[in-house]
Amino acid sequence: MKFFMRAIVVIGIIWLAMLFTGYGVLTGSNKNAAGLGLQCSYLTARGVITAQYLHTDSGVVGVTDCPVLKKSGEVVDN
């Protein structure tokens, strides 16, 4: 029971941190537009958001992979 309560407290603290900072954590990605686009899904405290990036394998133009953290446009303290 102690482990369960600690897990709930830790999840609550992480959720509050995500709520006040506006950051989201990468939950998934997939390529679109004939491999030139990269669609990334992020879990934030307010829900799931998606971001579109230009994708190349070399990373010279665009990104090779989705960033792990992304700042969303909506923050509680703004």
Side-chain angles (χ1 to χ4, degrees):
M1 188 67 172
K2 274 185 167 181
F3 177 74
F4 181 70
M5 291 303 292
R6 286 182 183 168
I8 295 295
V9 169
V10 168
I11 290 172
I13 290 170
I14 291 171
W15 183 80
L16 283 173
M18 287 173 44
L19 182 67
F20 287 114
T21 61
Y23 278 94
V25 179
L26 180 67
T27 57
S29 65
N30 57 13
K31 292 181 183 178
N32 57 9
L36 294 177
L38 189 62
Q39 182 178 13
C40 307
S41 300
Y42 293 91
L43 177 65
T44 64
R46 294 185 174 236
V48 177
I49 61 171
T50 57
Q52 298 281 341
Y53 295 102
L54 183 63
H55 170 70
T56 57
D57 290 331
S58 64
V60 174
V61 176
V63 296
T64 57
D65 294 322
C66 293
V68 176
L69 295 175
K70 178 174 178 17
K71 181 124 177 148
S72 67
E74 296 179 16
V75 182
V76 171
D77 60 353
N78 280 346

